[in-house]
């Protein structure tokens, strides 16, 4: 009985992890200032998502414990509320945002910055569990994972335009 239960739990908790990397031809100070400012999320998110920060702290620098709320329209023009918390910050090295309320069962996003010869190597590690158990896993296979990849590909394009001129 325990063996069957553990198999069920592992399947129930399956997750997706996407890793994106890019090098920005800029110094760490400028990259960190841009990426650690919530207001810049709107600039690096595709327009069709109607991304809008609704919390009043979007002009503040990120800090551990910071709560940021958004409205976003990821699919089928259905607006969703999303709340994330900045759970870890090590200035000019990394920060982590985690969903507190929103469209995913779980969302954990690590933003890692490393000085390199060309400027800054930036790495995003996005780990999530889609909602709705088996239906969410099917939706993830059909379109959610592609949508998340598209969002981060758009982000890469915008960051290239800003920092790799």
């Amino acid at each position: 009985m325990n063996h069957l239960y553990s198999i069920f739990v592992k399947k129930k908790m399956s997750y997706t992890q996407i890793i994106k990397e890019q090098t920005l031809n800029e110094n760490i100070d400028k990259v960190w200032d841009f990426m650690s400012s919530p207001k810049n999320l709107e600039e690096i998110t595709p327009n069709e998502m109607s991304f809008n920060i609704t919390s009043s702290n979007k002009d503040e620098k990120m800090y551990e414990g910071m709560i940021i709320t958004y409205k976003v329209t990821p699919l089928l023009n259905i607006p969703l509320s999303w709340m994330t918390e900045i759970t870890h910050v090590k200035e000019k090295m990394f920060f982590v945002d985690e969903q507190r309320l929103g469209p995913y069962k779980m969302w954990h996003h690590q933003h890692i910055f490393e000085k390199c010869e060309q400027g800054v190597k930036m790495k995003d590690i996005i780990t999530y569990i889609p909602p709705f158990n088996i239906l969410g896993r099917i939706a993830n296979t059909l379109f959610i994972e592609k949508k998340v990849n598209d969002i981060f590909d758009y982000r890469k394009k915008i960051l290239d335009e800003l920092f790799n001129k």
Side-chain angles (χ1 to χ4, degrees):
M1 184 70 163
N2 284 341
H3 179 67
L4 290 175
Y5 179 72
S6 66
I7 292 170
F8 174 73
V9 170
K10 285 180 185 172
K11 280 200 165 285
K12 185 177 176 189
M13 293 303 291
S14 59
Y15 63 90
T16 300
Q17 187 168 73
I18 298 170
I19 299 173
K20 299 285 188 174
E21 292 186 11
Q22 78 182 106
T23 301
L24 301 174
N25 187 19
E26 189 54 81
N27 69 56
I28 189 71
D29 295 326
K30 288 186 181 174
V31 172
W32 179 261
D33 284 346
F34 183 85
M35 294 303 297
S36 66
S37 178
K39 69 181 176 189
N40 292 325
L41 280 170
E42 293 174 3
E43 186 174 348
I44 60 175
T45 302
N47 292 334
E48 67 268 11
M49 292 191 63
S50 303
F51 184 90
N52 182 36
I53 296 175
T54 57
S55 53
S56 61
N57 57 354
K58 74 179 183 179
D59 291 324
E60 297 178 29
K61 283 290 180 204
M62 288 185 183
Y63 57 87
E64 287 183 15
M66 182 180 210
I67 299 290
I68 307 167
T69 58
Y70 324 86
K71 289 280 187 196
V72 63
T73 308
L75 296 168
L76 305 172
N77 239 4
I78 301 168
L80 299 172
S81 296
W82 198 345
M83 176 190 289
T84 58
E85 178 181 356
I86 305 303
T87 57
H88 301 83
V89 177
K90 184 153 184 163
E91 190 166 336
K92 298 178 188 170
M93 293 182 75
F94 69 87
F95 65 89
V96 177
D97 65 86
E98 296 181 9
Q99 175 186 283
R100 292 297 172 244
L101 296 170
Y104 295 90
K105 188 171 188 176
M106 188 277 290
W107 174 273
H108 182 271
H109 179 189
Q110 300 173 65
H111 309 251
I112 301 167
F113 307 88
E114 182 181 318
K115 288 190 243 182
C116 66
E117 204 172 294
Q118 298 84 6
V120 177
K121 181 175 153 188
M122 193 173 82
K123 183 178 199 178
D124 289 289
I125 304 172
I126 307 103
T127 307
Y128 67 89
I129 300 172
F132 310 123
N133 298 318
I134 186 70
L135 293 176
R137 289 196 300 272
I138 293 167
N140 190 55
T141 300
L142 294 175
F143 57 86
I144 294 173
E145 185 174 0
K146 181 186 180 329
K147 184 70 172 180
V148 173
N149 270 295
D150 289 349
I151 291 165
F152 282 88
D153 290 346
Y154 178 86
R155 183 172 289 192
K156 179 186 185 314
K157 176 182 168 270
I158 297 301
L159 291 172
D160 278 343
E161 290 172 6
L162 290 170
F163 295 112
N164 293 337
K165 299 173 190 172

